[in-house]
Amino acid sequence: MTGTSTTPHQTQLWVGVRLFDGTRTHDEPMTLVVADGRIKQMLPSSKQPAQWESDWPVAGRGGVVTPGLIDCHTHLVFGGNRAGEFEQRLEGVSYAEIAAQGGGILSTVNATRSASEDDLFASAKPRLEALIADGVTTIEIKSGYGLSLEHERKMLRVARRLGRELPVDVMTTFLGAHALPPEYKGRADDYITDVCEHMLPALAAEQLVDAVDVFCENIAFSIDQCERVFTASKQHGLPVKGHVEQLSNQHGSELCAQYQALSVDHIEWLDEAGIAAIQRSGTVATLLPGAFYTLRDTTLPPVEKLRQAGVPMAVATDANPGSSPIFQLTLMLNMACTLFRLTPTEALQGVTQNAARALGLGDTHGLLAEGHAATFCHWQADHPAELAYSVQPNRLLSRVFKGELTPL
Ligand code: NIG
Ligand code: FE
């Protein structure tokens, strides 16, 4: 599905729009000229030559335009669901306790291992379609529920296929070091050897891996184990990132910074040394308010300190069956403001330019400027801040992916 009633080479206009370009909202209503899949021109509508509207069709008028949204942290491909665990948590059992009892991530590992590649594709597709209908044009999808070469490969192949069959750019992340699979119980170092010497080389050779992630936590992997994974990743020329400082401070952020990580994610427990380290390495701080909300966390990520340090902040869904069963990125705009006190501009930048940087795509994605790909969303709103202010599905008037209108 790449659009049916579309004419990517024909010049089209969007006129009188309030434009958030990925970093700021323009003061004046703007006109965008789209041709050959690119933004050909961008100028204040007051300066728009009169004959343009007789020469070229107006595809949109008024409203708000933003870059296509980027969900830079998801676990979108998985088997089964964890509604039962949701109920357990309502009865007072914690996420960490459920994990210790072999539930949590491991129950999704069982369901994912029993699912076929087609099953996983069929279950992930409607979730991705929901994100697409909410304005997402680039998504990162992690493995991490297979935890063996065969099943991690299956997950990553599904992620690649989603990118081929749907109008969205998919970046894959190998998260072999997500949880210890049952067959390695008591032998975490041996599992990490398997990840580094067997799984990663094979999956990288098959072009299934764009980046490598780890879960650095006392219920997951230690600093030393994560470092082994990062060393192996660098040997394959792959960028790294980490689930760090989510439930406790393990100083995973400093390790990530040492390996020039693209991003550190969650970071509720990030301290000043961690902030200083990621500031130096230019690493993006990815905030995941959906997991904070779902797990009813009480420790807030250090947003004010990150802001003062000038660390770029991204915002993502962390869409997954356990800690964030939420498949709506615009809801994260609202949660990032309400729960974490981001400004609407920061939140919007967090799902556009900074999310692109968190994927190593800062030069090509998440920005609207002349010469850039025409990948953007046209919203029914008067001001970009409204996208964060109200929680309101179905505001997308049109979605343009590389110059093509996506049927909504
Ligand atoms: O980002 N923190 C670890 N991993 C995921 C949770 C995955 C799950 O619960 O299935 C996260 O929150
Ligand atoms: Fe995650």
Side-chain angles (χ1 to χ4, degrees):
M1 185 179 83
T2 47
T4 44
S5 61
T6 52
T7 46
H9 301 293
Q10 184 192 321
T11 302
Q12 289 184 301
L13 301 176
W14 272 260
V15 175
V17 301
R18 282 310 288 272
L19 178 68
F20 176 80
D21 65 11
T23 60
R24 70 183 184 97
T25 297
H26 291 244
D27 295 329
E28 282 187 75
M30 298 290 287
T31 292
L32 271 65
V33 184
V34 172
D36 299 319
R38 310 229 144 239
I39 309 279
K40 207 168 125 191
Q41 258 181 286
M42 221 171 78
L43 80 179
S45 300
S46 58
K47 304 210 170 90
Q48 178 190 322
Q51 83 276 8
W52 279 12
E53 290 193 31
S54 33
D55 290 351
W56 298 316
V58 176
R61 198 184 288 282
V64 163
V65 165
T66 66
L69 307 187
I70 300 175
D71 197 349
C72 67
H73 180 140
T74 85
H75 309 249
L76 198 79
V77 173
F78 57 84
N81 73 67
R82 306 236 289 274
E85 175 190 315
F86 176 66
E87 292 193 67
Q88 264 187 292
R89 285 206 311 274
L90 288 172
E91 286 157 13
V93 191
S94 76
Y95 184 73
E97 281 161 354
I98 290 168
Q101 292 161 11
I105 294 175
L106 287 182
S107 73
T108 299
V109 171
N110 286 332
T112 303
R113 285 179 171 182
S114 353
S116 70
E117 210 168 295
D118 283 341
D119 292 339
L120 290 177
F121 180 82
S123 64
K125 188 171 176 243
R127 299 193 279 261
L128 183 51
E129 284 168 341
L131 287 163
I132 286 172
D134 193 43
V136 170
T137 53
T138 301
I139 186 170
E140 184 256 18
I141 301 178
K142 301 177 195 294
S143 68
Y145 294 123
L147 310 184
S148 71
L149 177 57
E150 174 194 356
H151 296 293
E152 291 286 294
R153 175 191 283 130
K154 179 174 69 178
M155 292 186 70
L156 292 167
R157 285 173 54 90
V158 170
R160 284 278 191 250
R161 182 176 160 198
L162 288 164
R164 282 195 304 274
E165 296 195 18
L166 296 170
V168 63
D169 283 329
V170 170
M171 297 295 283
T172 58
T173 300
F174 171 56
L175 177 54
H178 192 200
L180 189 62
E183 60 275 18
Y184 276 96
K185 198 167 174 28
R187 296 188 298 128
D189 285 325
D190 292 344
Y191 177 62
I192 293 297
T193 302
D194 192 6
V195 165
C196 296
E197 293 179 12
H198 183 214
M199 296 161 71
L200 177 57
L203 297 169
E206 292 169 40
Q207 310 283 323
L208 288 171
V209 183
D210 297 323
V212 178
D213 196 351
V214 296
F215 187 12
C216 184
E217 190 54 67
N218 50 26
I219 62 163
F221 295 99
S222 69
I223 285 280
D224 287 350
Q225 290 161 346
C226 293
E227 179 156 23
R228 289 177 59 203
V229 176
F230 285 175
T231 306
S233 306
K234 291 290 167 182
Q235 281 162 3
H236 291 277
L238 292 168
V240 301
K241 54 178 66 188
H243 284 74
V244 294
E245 289 40 295
Q246 179 188 10
L247 308 170
S248 62
N249 185 353
Q250 305 284 323
H251 304 284
S253 299
E254 284 100 309
L255 176 70
C256 285
Q258 212 180 309
Y259 285 81
Q260 279 78 46
L262 291 172
S263 67
V264 290
D265 301 40
H266 287 288
I267 57 167
E268 280 84 346
W269 291 80
L270 182 65
D271 63 11
E272 282 176 29
I275 294 173
I278 61 171
Q279 182 193 34
R280 282 193 297 273
S281 58
T283 297
V284 173
T286 299
L287 305 173
L288 303 171
F292 177 92
Y293 160 84
T294 301
L295 301 179
R296 303 180 78 226
D297 276 347
T298 49
T299 304
L300 284 161
V303 164
E304 180 54 31
K305 287 180 179 154
L306 288 166
R307 187 184 278 137
Q308 276 166 15
V311 172
M313 291 181 277
V315 174
T317 59
D318 195 17
N320 77 69
S323 66
S324 189
I326 306 182
F327 306 92
Q328 188 182 348
L329 188 55
T330 53
L331 174 58
M332 297 304 125
L333 292 173
N334 179 269
M335 284 190 182
C337 297
T338 304
L339 299 173
F340 294 166
R341 313 316 282 168
L342 262 64
T343 66
T345 298
E346 286 172 331
L348 282 165
Q349 192 170 354
V351 298
T352 54
Q353 174 54 200
N354 289 348
R357 292 175 66 176
L359 298 177
L361 300 174
D363 292 338
T364 53
H365 289 60
L367 263 189
L368 288 176
E370 287 178 4
H372 276 239
T375 294
F376 61 84
C377 294
H378 182 211
W379 306 91
Q380 177 131 49
D382 293 328
H383 192 278
E386 287 170 41
L387 299 172
Y389 152 73
S390 71
V391 179
Q392 187 179 338
N394 301 323
R395 279 179 294 194
L396 197 52
L397 295 169
S398 57
R399 175 190 186 273
V400 179
F401 181 67
K402 298 176 184 169
E404 294 198 42
L405 276 162
T406 310
L408 291 175

